[in-house]
Amino acid sequence: MGAETVDLLVIGGGMAGLSAAARVAAEGGTVVLVEKAERTGGSARFAGFVWTAPTLEELRRVNPDGDPELAGALVDGFADGVTWIRSLGVDCRPPVPVLGFGRGHQVDTNHYLDTCERLIRDRGQEMLTATRTRSLVTENGGVKGADCLLPDGSTRRIEATWTLLATGGFQGDPTLRAEHIHPQATDIGLRANPHSRGAGLTLGRAVGAAFGEKDAGFYGHLMPAGVSLADPARFVDLALYYSEHALLFDTTGERFVDETVGDHLTTMALLERPEARGLLVADARVHREWISASYVEGIPGVDKFQLCHRAGARCAVADSLEDFASMPEEWGYPGAGIRDRIEEFNATTAAGGTTRPGRLLDHRPLDEPPYYVIEAAPAITFTFGGLLIDAGTHALSAGSGGRAPVPGLLAAGADAGGLYRRAYAGGLAPALVFGLAAARTALTETPAAVGH
Protein backbone atom coordinates (compact mmCIF):
# COMPACT_ATOMS: atom_id res chain seq x y z
CA MET A 1 0.00 0.00 0.00
CA GLY A 2 1.40 3.32 -1.07
CA ALA A 3 1.14 6.92 0.04
CA GLU A 4 -2.07 7.37 -1.94
CA THR A 5 -4.00 4.89 0.18
CA VAL A 6 -7.32 6.37 1.35
CA ASP A 7 -9.14 5.51 4.56
CA LEU A 8 -12.27 4.36 2.73
CA LEU A 9 -13.14 3.41 -0.83
CA VAL A 10 -16.91 3.44 -1.32
CA ILE A 11 -18.31 1.44 -4.22
CA GLY A 12 -21.82 2.73 -4.83
CA GLY A 13 -23.23 6.21 -4.38
CA GLY A 14 -26.71 5.65 -2.95
CA MET A 15 -27.99 6.36 0.55
CA ALA A 16 -25.52 4.06 2.31
CA GLY A 17 -22.48 4.95 0.22
CA LEU A 18 -22.98 8.72 0.27
CA SER A 19 -23.70 8.67 4.02
CA ALA A 20 -20.50 6.74 4.71
CA ALA A 21 -18.33 8.85 2.42
CA ALA A 22 -19.71 12.15 3.70
CA ARG A 23 -19.23 11.13 7.33
CA VAL A 24 -15.61 10.12 6.72
CA ALA A 25 -14.95 13.38 4.89
CA ALA A 26 -16.64 15.41 7.64
CA GLU A 27 -14.43 13.75 10.26
CA GLY A 28 -11.26 14.59 8.34
CA GLY A 29 -10.70 11.18 6.79
CA THR A 30 -9.79 10.44 3.18
CA VAL A 31 -12.31 8.82 0.88
CA VAL A 32 -12.98 8.01 -2.76
CA LEU A 33 -16.51 7.21 -3.92
CA VAL A 34 -17.08 5.26 -7.13
CA GLU A 35 -20.52 5.20 -8.79
CA LYS A 36 -21.23 3.43 -12.07
CA ALA A 37 -24.21 5.63 -12.96
CA GLU A 38 -23.71 9.13 -14.25
CA ARG A 39 -25.44 10.54 -11.17
CA THR A 40 -25.26 9.54 -7.53
CA GLY A 41 -28.26 8.84 -5.32
CA GLY A 42 -29.59 5.55 -6.66
CA SER A 43 -33.08 4.54 -5.65
CA ALA A 44 -32.96 6.74 -2.56
CA ARG A 45 -33.88 9.65 -4.82
CA PHE A 46 -37.34 8.10 -5.21
CA ALA A 47 -37.99 7.76 -1.46
CA GLY A 48 -38.95 10.29 1.18
CA PHE A 49 -39.22 8.68 4.62
CA VAL A 50 -36.50 7.61 7.02
CA TRP A 51 -38.22 5.27 9.44
CA THR A 52 -38.04 1.99 11.31
CA ALA A 53 -39.48 0.30 14.38
CA PRO A 54 -39.19 2.44 17.53
CA THR A 55 -37.90 -0.38 19.75
CA LEU A 56 -35.96 -3.58 19.35
CA GLU A 57 -38.92 -5.51 20.74
CA GLU A 58 -41.21 -4.14 18.06
CA LEU A 59 -38.67 -4.80 15.31
CA ARG A 60 -38.23 -8.37 16.52
CA ARG A 61 -42.02 -8.80 16.57
CA VAL A 62 -42.48 -7.83 12.93
CA ASN A 63 -39.17 -9.35 11.80
CA PRO A 64 -38.61 -12.39 14.05
CA ASP A 65 -36.28 -14.23 11.66
CA GLY A 66 -33.86 -11.38 11.03
CA ASP A 67 -30.43 -11.07 12.63
CA PRO A 68 -31.03 -9.75 16.19
CA GLU A 69 -27.59 -8.09 16.34
CA LEU A 70 -28.31 -6.09 13.20
CA ALA A 71 -31.81 -5.28 14.41
CA GLY A 72 -30.39 -3.87 17.63
CA ALA A 73 -27.81 -1.83 15.74
CA LEU A 74 -30.53 -0.35 13.51
CA VAL A 75 -32.75 0.71 16.40
CA ASP A 76 -29.81 2.00 18.47
CA GLY A 77 -28.34 3.97 15.58
CA PHE A 78 -31.54 5.52 14.26
CA ALA A 79 -31.57 8.65 16.45
CA ASP A 80 -27.94 9.41 15.62
CA GLY A 81 -28.77 9.04 11.93
CA VAL A 82 -31.57 11.59 12.20
CA THR A 83 -29.26 13.93 14.11
CA TRP A 84 -26.66 13.58 11.35
CA ILE A 85 -29.22 14.48 8.66
CA ARG A 86 -30.30 17.57 10.57
CA SER A 87 -26.68 18.57 11.23
CA LEU A 88 -26.29 19.00 7.48
CA GLY A 89 -29.13 21.51 7.35
CA VAL A 90 -31.51 19.09 5.63
CA ASP A 91 -35.21 19.35 6.45
CA CYS A 92 -36.26 16.37 8.58
CA ARG A 93 -39.87 16.66 9.68
CA PRO A 94 -41.27 15.68 13.13
CA PRO A 95 -41.87 11.95 13.66
CA VAL A 96 -45.07 10.31 12.42
CA PRO A 97 -46.43 6.73 12.51
CA VAL A 98 -45.55 4.53 9.52
CA LEU A 99 -47.14 1.17 8.62
CA GLY A 100 -48.93 0.99 11.96
CA PHE A 101 -45.87 -0.12 13.94
CA GLY A 102 -43.09 2.19 12.74
CA ARG A 103 -41.99 5.71 13.49
CA GLY A 104 -40.08 8.00 11.20
CA HIS A 105 -39.45 11.29 9.50
CA GLN A 106 -40.25 12.76 6.13
CA VAL A 107 -36.94 13.92 4.66
CA ASP A 108 -35.96 15.93 1.61
CA THR A 109 -33.96 12.99 0.36
CA ASN A 110 -32.60 14.67 -2.74
CA HIS A 111 -31.36 17.59 -0.65
CA TYR A 112 -29.66 15.14 1.72
CA LEU A 113 -27.94 13.20 -1.07
CA ASP A 114 -26.80 16.35 -2.84
CA THR A 115 -25.54 17.82 0.44
CA CYS A 116 -23.48 14.70 1.13
CA GLU A 117 -21.98 14.90 -2.35
CA ARG A 118 -21.13 18.58 -1.91
CA LEU A 119 -19.57 17.93 1.50
CA ILE A 120 -17.33 15.23 0.04
CA ARG A 121 -16.11 17.50 -2.74
CA ASP A 122 -15.75 20.52 -0.46
CA ARG A 123 -13.46 18.51 1.82
CA GLY A 124 -11.23 17.76 -1.14
CA GLN A 125 -12.26 14.16 -1.48
CA GLU A 126 -12.89 12.40 -4.76
CA MET A 127 -16.06 11.21 -6.46
CA LEU A 128 -15.93 9.20 -9.68
CA THR A 129 -19.20 8.74 -11.58
CA ALA A 130 -19.80 6.64 -14.70
CA THR A 131 -17.02 4.44 -13.29
CA ARG A 132 -17.27 0.67 -12.95
CA THR A 133 -15.46 -1.50 -10.43
CA ARG A 134 -13.80 -4.40 -12.23
CA SER A 135 -12.46 -6.29 -9.22
CA LEU A 136 -11.35 -5.93 -5.64
CA VAL A 137 -7.63 -5.86 -4.92
CA THR A 138 -6.51 -8.43 -2.38
CA GLU A 139 -3.32 -9.03 -0.48
CA ASN A 140 -2.68 -11.74 2.12
CA GLY A 141 -6.38 -12.58 2.27
CA GLY A 142 -7.50 -9.01 2.84
CA VAL A 143 -9.13 -6.41 0.60
CA LYS A 144 -6.87 -3.44 -0.19
CA GLY A 145 -8.99 -1.45 -2.64
CA ALA A 146 -10.25 -1.99 -6.19
CA ASP A 147 -9.42 -1.73 -9.87
CA CYS A 148 -11.89 0.59 -11.56
CA LEU A 149 -12.76 1.28 -15.18
CA LEU A 150 -12.97 5.01 -15.85
CA PRO A 151 -15.34 6.62 -18.39
CA ASP A 152 -12.50 7.05 -20.92
CA GLY A 153 -11.82 3.30 -20.87
CA SER A 154 -8.66 3.45 -18.79
CA THR A 155 -8.17 1.47 -15.59
CA ARG A 156 -7.28 2.96 -12.22
CA ARG A 157 -6.29 1.14 -9.07
CA ILE A 158 -7.61 2.80 -5.91
CA GLU A 159 -5.86 1.61 -2.76
CA ALA A 160 -7.77 1.81 0.49
CA THR A 161 -7.53 0.65 4.07
CA TRP A 162 -11.24 -0.19 3.97
CA THR A 163 -13.53 -0.86 1.01
CA LEU A 164 -17.30 -0.50 1.37
CA LEU A 165 -19.69 -2.32 -0.97
CA ALA A 166 -22.87 -0.26 -1.26
CA THR A 167 -24.09 -0.87 -4.81
CA GLY A 168 -27.76 -1.23 -3.89
CA GLY A 169 -28.53 -4.94 -4.16
CA PHE A 170 -29.40 -7.09 -7.17
CA GLN A 171 -33.03 -6.21 -7.93
CA GLY A 172 -32.09 -4.91 -11.40
CA ASP A 173 -30.84 -8.31 -12.61
CA PRO A 174 -33.57 -10.76 -13.76
CA THR A 175 -31.28 -13.79 -13.56
CA LEU A 176 -30.22 -13.07 -9.98
CA ARG A 177 -33.84 -12.39 -9.02
CA ALA A 178 -34.84 -15.79 -10.36
CA GLU A 179 -31.92 -17.50 -8.58
CA HIS A 180 -32.21 -15.85 -5.18
CA ILE A 181 -35.88 -14.82 -4.90
CA HIS A 182 -38.23 -16.94 -7.05
CA PRO A 183 -38.27 -18.28 -10.62
CA GLN A 184 -41.23 -16.01 -11.43
CA ALA A 185 -39.22 -12.98 -10.29
CA THR A 186 -37.53 -12.85 -13.70
CA ASP A 187 -40.31 -10.76 -15.18
CA ILE A 188 -41.58 -8.66 -12.28
CA GLY A 189 -41.63 -4.89 -12.44
CA LEU A 190 -38.74 -2.81 -11.14
CA ARG A 191 -39.70 0.19 -9.02
CA ALA A 192 -36.09 1.27 -8.50
CA ASN A 193 -33.10 2.53 -10.44
CA PRO A 194 -31.88 0.08 -13.11
CA HIS A 195 -28.22 0.10 -12.05
CA SER A 196 -28.34 -2.17 -8.98
CA ARG A 197 -27.59 -5.46 -10.69
CA GLY A 198 -25.60 -7.37 -8.09
CA ALA A 199 -22.16 -5.83 -8.55
CA GLY A 200 -21.52 -5.71 -4.81
CA LEU A 201 -22.66 -9.30 -4.41
CA THR A 202 -20.33 -10.47 -7.18
CA LEU A 203 -17.35 -8.47 -5.89
CA GLY A 204 -17.82 -9.63 -2.31
CA ARG A 205 -18.29 -13.30 -3.10
CA ALA A 206 -15.21 -13.27 -5.31
CA VAL A 207 -13.07 -12.53 -2.23
CA GLY A 208 -14.77 -15.00 0.08
CA ALA A 209 -17.65 -13.02 1.59
CA ALA A 210 -20.73 -15.02 2.54
CA PHE A 211 -24.13 -14.55 0.95
CA GLY A 212 -27.15 -14.84 3.23
CA GLU A 213 -30.07 -17.21 2.87
CA LYS A 214 -31.50 -17.11 -0.63
CA ASP A 215 -35.18 -16.94 0.37
CA ALA A 216 -34.85 -13.80 2.49
CA GLY A 217 -37.30 -12.04 0.19
CA PHE A 218 -37.51 -8.49 -1.05
CA TYR A 219 -39.19 -5.17 -0.48
CA GLY A 220 -41.69 -4.07 -3.08
CA HIS A 221 -45.32 -3.22 -3.62
CA LEU A 222 -48.28 -4.36 -5.64
CA MET A 223 -48.53 -2.36 -8.86
CA PRO A 224 -51.10 -2.47 -11.66
CA ALA A 225 -50.21 -5.44 -13.87
CA GLY A 226 -48.86 -4.74 -17.32
CA VAL A 227 -48.25 -1.04 -16.76
CA SER A 228 -44.79 0.30 -17.60
CA LEU A 229 -42.71 1.55 -14.68
CA ALA A 230 -40.17 3.34 -16.88
CA ASP A 231 -41.24 6.67 -15.36
CA PRO A 232 -40.01 6.79 -11.73
CA ALA A 233 -42.96 9.05 -10.85
CA ARG A 234 -45.13 5.94 -11.10
CA PHE A 235 -43.22 4.11 -8.35
CA VAL A 236 -45.33 5.85 -5.70
CA ASP A 237 -48.27 7.14 -7.73
CA LEU A 238 -49.36 3.67 -8.84
CA ALA A 239 -48.34 1.66 -5.75
CA LEU A 240 -51.44 -0.13 -4.44
CA TYR A 241 -50.76 0.44 -0.74
CA TYR A 242 -54.47 0.17 0.02
CA SER A 243 -54.38 -3.59 -0.57
CA GLU A 244 -54.16 -3.91 3.22
CA HIS A 245 -57.87 -3.03 3.32
CA ALA A 246 -58.96 -4.89 0.18
CA LEU A 247 -59.19 -8.54 -0.89
CA LEU A 248 -56.69 -10.15 -3.26
CA PHE A 249 -57.56 -13.17 -5.39
CA ASP A 250 -55.17 -15.24 -7.49
CA THR A 251 -55.97 -16.67 -10.92
CA THR A 252 -57.70 -19.66 -9.31
CA GLY A 253 -60.16 -17.30 -7.62
CA GLU A 254 -58.88 -17.87 -4.09
CA ARG A 255 -57.57 -15.63 -1.35
CA PHE A 256 -54.15 -16.87 -0.24
CA VAL A 257 -52.78 -14.34 2.24
CA ASP A 258 -53.82 -12.05 5.08
CA GLU A 259 -53.80 -8.81 3.15
CA THR A 260 -53.90 -6.68 6.32
CA VAL A 261 -50.35 -7.53 7.42
CA GLY A 262 -48.99 -5.16 4.78
CA ASP A 263 -48.93 -4.58 1.03
CA HIS A 264 -45.18 -5.21 0.99
CA LEU A 265 -45.73 -8.71 2.42
CA THR A 266 -48.69 -9.44 0.16
CA THR A 267 -46.40 -8.58 -2.74
CA MET A 268 -43.99 -11.38 -1.82
CA ALA A 269 -46.88 -13.81 -1.42
CA LEU A 270 -48.38 -12.98 -4.84
CA LEU A 271 -45.05 -13.62 -6.56
CA GLU A 272 -45.37 -17.28 -5.58
CA ARG A 273 -48.93 -17.73 -6.92
CA PRO A 274 -49.85 -18.94 -10.44
CA GLU A 275 -48.72 -16.41 -13.05
CA ALA A 276 -47.77 -13.96 -10.27
CA ARG A 277 -50.86 -11.82 -10.79
CA GLY A 278 -54.15 -11.29 -8.99
CA LEU A 279 -57.32 -9.23 -8.72
CA LEU A 280 -57.43 -6.60 -5.99
CA VAL A 281 -61.02 -5.88 -4.95
CA ALA A 282 -62.18 -2.95 -2.84
CA ASP A 283 -65.59 -1.48 -2.11
CA ALA A 284 -66.80 2.13 -1.86
CA ARG A 285 -65.76 2.39 1.79
CA VAL A 286 -62.18 1.34 1.02
CA HIS A 287 -62.15 3.70 -1.95
CA ARG A 288 -63.28 6.57 0.23
CA GLU A 289 -61.09 5.85 3.25
CA TRP A 290 -57.95 4.44 1.64
CA ILE A 291 -57.72 4.45 -2.16
CA SER A 292 -58.19 8.20 -2.45
CA ALA A 293 -56.93 9.19 1.00
CA SER A 294 -53.47 9.94 2.39
CA TYR A 295 -51.48 6.78 3.09
CA VAL A 296 -48.88 8.40 5.36
CA GLU A 297 -49.33 11.60 7.33
CA GLY A 298 -47.89 14.52 5.40
CA ILE A 299 -48.36 12.96 1.94
CA PRO A 300 -51.43 14.26 0.06
CA GLY A 301 -53.97 11.66 -0.99
CA VAL A 302 -54.66 10.85 -4.63
CA ASP A 303 -57.24 8.54 -6.21
CA LYS A 304 -55.03 5.61 -7.17
CA PHE A 305 -57.85 3.85 -8.99
CA GLN A 306 -58.19 6.78 -11.38
CA LEU A 307 -54.41 6.98 -11.80
CA CYS A 308 -54.25 3.27 -12.66
CA HIS A 309 -57.17 3.62 -15.08
CA ARG A 310 -55.49 6.52 -16.88
CA ALA A 311 -52.24 4.52 -17.03
CA GLY A 312 -53.99 1.78 -18.98
CA ALA A 313 -54.27 -0.79 -16.21
CA ARG A 314 -56.78 -3.63 -16.36
CA CYS A 315 -59.43 -2.34 -14.00
CA ALA A 316 -63.20 -2.04 -13.66
CA VAL A 317 -65.99 -0.71 -11.48
CA ALA A 318 -68.68 -3.26 -10.61
CA ASP A 319 -72.05 -1.90 -9.51
CA SER A 320 -72.79 -5.09 -7.58
CA LEU A 321 -71.23 -8.41 -6.71
CA GLU A 322 -73.35 -10.05 -9.41
CA ASP A 323 -71.32 -8.16 -12.01
CA PHE A 324 -68.30 -10.34 -11.15
CA ALA A 325 -69.98 -13.27 -12.90
CA SER A 326 -69.71 -11.29 -16.16
CA MET A 327 -65.95 -10.78 -15.88
CA PRO A 328 -64.32 -10.90 -19.36
CA GLU A 329 -63.00 -14.38 -20.12
CA GLU A 330 -59.69 -13.00 -21.40
CA TRP A 331 -58.88 -11.74 -17.91
CA GLY A 332 -58.37 -15.36 -16.88
CA TYR A 333 -60.18 -15.32 -13.54
CA PRO A 334 -63.26 -17.28 -12.37
CA GLY A 335 -65.50 -14.25 -11.83
CA ALA A 336 -68.42 -16.18 -10.35
CA GLY A 337 -66.08 -17.92 -7.93
CA ILE A 338 -64.60 -14.61 -6.79
CA ARG A 339 -68.11 -13.28 -6.27
CA ASP A 340 -68.88 -16.29 -4.07
CA ARG A 341 -65.68 -15.84 -2.06
CA ILE A 342 -66.52 -12.17 -1.41
CA GLU A 343 -70.03 -13.09 -0.30
CA GLU A 344 -68.62 -15.74 2.04
CA PHE A 345 -66.07 -13.25 3.40
CA ASN A 346 -68.77 -10.66 4.03
CA ALA A 347 -71.08 -13.13 5.77
CA THR A 348 -68.29 -14.41 8.00
CA THR A 349 -66.97 -11.00 9.01
CA ALA A 350 -70.45 -9.56 9.55
CA ALA A 351 -71.14 -12.42 11.95
CA GLY A 352 -67.84 -11.88 13.79
CA GLY A 353 -66.37 -15.11 12.51
CA THR A 354 -62.84 -15.96 11.39
CA THR A 355 -62.03 -15.94 7.70
CA ARG A 356 -59.50 -18.16 5.96
CA PRO A 357 -56.94 -16.74 5.49
CA GLY A 358 -57.50 -14.68 8.61
CA ARG A 359 -57.46 -10.90 8.93
CA LEU A 360 -55.21 -9.54 11.66
CA LEU A 361 -56.39 -5.95 11.32
CA ASP A 362 -59.24 -4.73 9.08
CA HIS A 363 -62.13 -7.13 9.82
CA ARG A 364 -64.91 -5.17 8.16
CA PRO A 365 -66.86 -6.67 5.24
CA LEU A 366 -66.63 -5.30 1.72
CA ASP A 367 -70.36 -4.75 1.32
CA GLU A 368 -70.71 -1.17 0.13
CA PRO A 369 -71.01 -1.03 -3.67
CA PRO A 370 -69.66 -0.13 -6.13
CA TYR A 371 -66.61 -2.39 -6.22
CA TYR A 372 -63.24 -1.24 -7.54
CA VAL A 373 -61.18 -3.94 -9.25
CA ILE A 374 -57.54 -3.67 -10.41
CA GLU A 375 -55.33 -6.46 -11.68
CA ALA A 376 -52.18 -6.32 -9.57
CA ALA A 377 -48.69 -7.75 -9.90
CA PRO A 378 -45.60 -7.66 -7.67
CA ALA A 379 -42.86 -5.12 -8.29
CA ILE A 380 -39.48 -5.06 -6.56
CA THR A 381 -37.68 -2.10 -4.96
CA PHE A 382 -34.73 -3.75 -3.24
CA THR A 383 -33.53 -7.15 -2.13
CA PHE A 384 -33.18 -8.48 1.43
CA GLY A 385 -30.62 -11.14 0.56
CA GLY A 386 -27.03 -9.92 0.54
CA LEU A 387 -23.58 -10.29 2.01
CA LEU A 388 -23.60 -11.18 5.69
CA ILE A 389 -22.29 -8.46 7.99
CA ASP A 390 -21.94 -7.71 11.68
CA ALA A 391 -23.03 -4.52 13.44
CA GLY A 392 -19.81 -2.79 12.38
CA THR A 393 -20.63 -3.65 8.73
CA HIS A 394 -17.64 -6.00 8.41
CA ALA A 395 -18.37 -8.45 5.60
CA LEU A 396 -18.24 -11.99 6.99
CA SER A 397 -16.49 -14.89 5.31
CA ALA A 398 -18.05 -17.92 3.68
CA GLY A 399 -15.42 -20.33 5.02
CA SER A 400 -16.24 -23.60 6.80
CA GLY A 401 -14.42 -22.55 9.96
CA GLY A 402 -17.17 -20.21 11.08
CA ARG A 403 -17.94 -16.63 10.13
CA ALA A 404 -15.03 -14.21 10.44
CA PRO A 405 -14.58 -10.76 8.93
CA VAL A 406 -12.99 -10.52 5.50
CA PRO A 407 -10.17 -8.08 6.36
CA GLY A 408 -10.66 -4.66 4.84
CA LEU A 409 -14.17 -5.32 3.44
CA LEU A 410 -17.41 -3.67 4.57
CA ALA A 411 -20.97 -3.83 3.19
CA ALA A 412 -24.04 -1.69 3.78
CA GLY A 413 -27.40 -0.83 2.27
CA ALA A 414 -29.01 -3.48 0.09
CA ASP A 415 -25.62 -5.14 -0.51
CA ALA A 416 -25.80 -6.30 3.10
CA GLY A 417 -28.09 -9.17 4.06
CA GLY A 418 -29.36 -10.65 7.29
CA LEU A 419 -31.28 -7.69 8.71
CA TYR A 420 -34.66 -8.63 7.24
CA ARG A 421 -36.10 -12.02 6.41
CA ARG A 422 -39.44 -11.82 4.62
CA ALA A 423 -40.24 -8.75 6.69
CA TYR A 424 -39.58 -5.03 6.41
CA ALA A 425 -39.18 -2.00 8.66
CA GLY A 426 -37.73 0.69 6.42
CA GLY A 427 -35.13 0.90 3.67
CA LEU A 428 -33.55 4.33 3.96
CA ALA A 429 -33.00 3.95 7.70
CA PRO A 430 -30.79 0.82 7.47
CA ALA A 431 -28.84 2.37 4.60
CA LEU A 432 -28.27 5.50 6.67
CA VAL A 433 -27.49 3.76 9.95
CA PHE A 434 -25.14 1.14 8.52
CA GLY A 435 -23.55 3.64 6.14
CA LEU A 436 -22.63 5.72 9.18
CA ALA A 437 -21.49 2.57 10.98
CA ALA A 438 -19.17 1.79 8.06
CA ALA A 439 -17.69 5.28 8.35
CA ARG A 440 -17.11 4.75 12.06
CA THR A 441 -15.33 1.47 11.38
CA ALA A 442 -13.15 3.07 8.71
CA LEU A 443 -12.21 5.92 11.02
CA THR A 444 -11.50 3.91 14.18
CA GLU A 445 -10.32 0.40 13.20
CA THR A 446 -7.51 -1.19 11.24
CA PRO A 447 -8.29 -4.36 9.26
CA ALA A 448 -5.44 -6.29 10.90
CA ALA A 449 -7.15 -5.87 14.26
CA VAL A 450 -10.48 -7.29 13.11
CA GLY A 451 -11.31 -10.72 14.45
CA HIS A 452 -8.26 -10.95 16.73
Side-chain angles (χ1 to χ4, degrees), residues 99-130:
L99 285 190
F101 67 86
R103 195 83 171 158
H105 307 262
Q106 188 177 1
V107 172
D108 186 340
T109 313
N110 281 282
H111 185 200
Y112 172 74
L113 298 168
D114 292 341
T115 300
C116 285
E117 181 173 337
R118 187 168 58 252
L119 189 158
I120 295 164
R121 296 187 189 279
D122 288 349
R123 297 299 175 95
Q125 303 309 303
E126 196 170 9
M127 296 189 57
L128 304 174
T129 55

Side-chain angles (χ1 to χ4, degrees), residues 416-435:
L419 174 64
Y420 297 140
R421 181 174 169 80
R422 301 190 72 83
Y424 168 74
L428 288 183
L432 170 68
V433 168
F434 290 106

Side-chain angles (χ1 to χ4, degrees), residues 8 33 154 213 358 365 385 406:
L8 180 65
L33 184 144
S154 63
E213 297 179 63
V406 177

Side-chain angles (χ1 to χ4, degrees), residues 76-147:
D76 291 345
F78 182 74
D80 287 341
V82 171
T83 298
W84 161 253
I85 291 174
R86 288 176 170 158
S87 75
L88 299 180
V90 175
D91 185 28
C92 185
R93 306 297 295 277
V96 297
V98 182
L99 285 190
F101 67 86
R103 195 83 171 158
H105 307 262
Q106 188 177 1
V107 172
D108 186 340
T109 313
N110 281 282
H111 185 200
Y112 172 74
L113 298 168
D114 292 341
T115 300
C116 285
E117 181 173 337
R118 187 168 58 252
L119 189 158
I120 295 164
R121 296 187 189 279
D122 288 349
R123 297 299 175 95
Q125 303 309 303
E126 196 170 9
M127 296 189 57
L128 304 174
T129 55
T131 299
R132 295 181 177 272
T133 303
R134 296 179 61 177
S135 62
L136 298 179
V137 175
T138 60
E139 181 182 309
N140 299 325
V143 175
K144 304 294 185 180
D147 287 329

